Amino acid sequence: MPRTILVADDDPHIRQLLVFALAKAGLGTLEAADGEEALAVAEAQAPDLIVLDINMPRMDGLEVCRRLRAQGEVPILFLSSRDDEIDRILGIELGADDYVTKPFSPREVVARVMAILRRVAGRPPQVEQATSTIRHGQLALDPEGWQASWAGTPVTLTATEFGILRTLAVMPAKVFSRDAIIDRLRGPGFAVTDRTIDSHVRNLRAKFGQVGCQDIVETRAGIGYRIGACAG
């Protein structure tokens, strides 16, 4: 049976374009014209992935995402009309699996949908099994409590942000490519794509910068990321 994609957007023209492009790629489709309908269709039909517009009547896409993620881990690709919404999307606890900004190419949306589906269907995650507190410089991570602190000051992180930081901190000498980070995170709640890693890293730098840490993550151009010195 083909994978089924729910397209939720209040613009019928956008729905028509995406449904046509997804069907051409061999995917089944469902439609919803507002947030409440999207939630009802998702609960009744259990699609494999949801293409979800943020700005919809009756219930916005972020609220739909929160409610769906409280019930399960269906992958979600957001449609955003403004670039400045992206960090807000990726910064919420439930997060987005990926996003596309309007105007967009239907071909790009199909490509991102297929990439997410491949990630979700991939092998089980290869994650570090450390359960004791991880310390690096002034950074401390509690894997069991999913809590982070800097020089004793708690720093609130999303699950994905914590997972990225833990991946880097347990192997401080290693430079991880974006794909390698995704491989370590892959599993329930972590169906992220390579470019969303960059946004999560920006969020980590901003959050730790607020408590005085300017060296939380180091970028290696053309390669990826590793944990910074965390010396303050």
Side-chain angles (χ1 to χ4, degrees):
M1 295 292 292
R3 299 290 187 91
T4 301
I5 312 301
L6 170 58
V7 179
D9 196 296
D10 60 333
D11 187 331
H13 177 65
I14 288 178
R15 294 201 309 273
Q16 183 180 18
L17 282 176
L18 292 180
V19 164
F20 178 80
L22 291 165
K24 191 174 180 180
L27 297 166
T29 57
L30 301 165
E31 295 184 49
D34 59 60
E36 289 187 359
E37 184 181 5
L39 189 61
V41 173
E43 291 176 343
Q45 301 293 327
D48 295 288
L49 182 145
I50 302 174
V51 178
L52 187 60
D53 185 30
I54 293 177
N55 297 308
M56 290 190 295
R58 300 178 66 191
M59 185 184 299
D60 67 24
L62 293 178
E63 182 59 27
V64 174
C65 176
R66 290 188 187 99
R67 296 193 185 192
L68 289 173
R69 288 288 171 82
Q71 303 169 19
E73 298 296 339
V74 60
I76 293 173
L77 185 151
F78 275 120
L79 301 179
S80 172
S81 58
R82 303 197 313 271
D83 285 335
D84 60 6
E85 288 178 320
I86 297 305
D87 283 337
R88 178 167 158 244
I89 294 168
L90 297 174
I92 63 175
E93 179 63 36
L94 299 176
D97 296 294
D98 203 354
Y99 62 88
V100 175
T101 55
K102 300 177 180 180
F104 54 77
S105 161
R107 181 176 297 179
E108 179 186 5
V109 174
V110 172
R112 295 196 176 280
V113 164
M114 299 301 288
I116 294 171
L117 292 175
R118 285 195 298 271
R119 293 284 188 196
V120 172
R123 65 182 184 274
Q126 301 294 318
V127 297
E128 299 298 328
Q129 299 300 314
T131 57
S132 59
T133 300
I134 301 166
R135 299 187 184 277
H136 179 73
Q138 298 192 64
L139 171 69
L141 300 174
D142 174 8
E144 292 190 336
W146 289 76
Q147 295 178 334
S149 63
W150 170 261
T153 301
V155 180
T156 302
L157 303 179
T158 67
T160 304
E161 290 165 358
F162 186 93
I164 292 171
L165 200 55
R166 179 179 61 178
T167 294
L168 302 179
V170 295
M171 300 182 70
K174 180 177 176 61
V175 179
F176 287 85
S177 68
R178 291 164 181 80
D179 284 343
I181 293 173
I182 292 170
D183 286 343
R184 297 294 178 111
L185 298 179
R186 188 159 50 203
F190 292 109
V192 294
T193 57
D194 54 358
R195 73 173 182 170
T196 68
I197 294 295
D198 296 336
S199 292
H200 286 302
V201 169
R202 285 199 301 271
N203 290 340
L204 282 168
R205 286 171 171 159
K207 289 181 178 182
F208 279 88
Q210 292 175 358
V211 295
C213 174
Q214 305 301 324
D215 56 353
I216 189 65
V217 177
E218 176 183 329
T219 299
R220 287 298 183 94
I223 305 174
Y225 299 107
R226 77 174 181 182
I227 196 72
C230 297

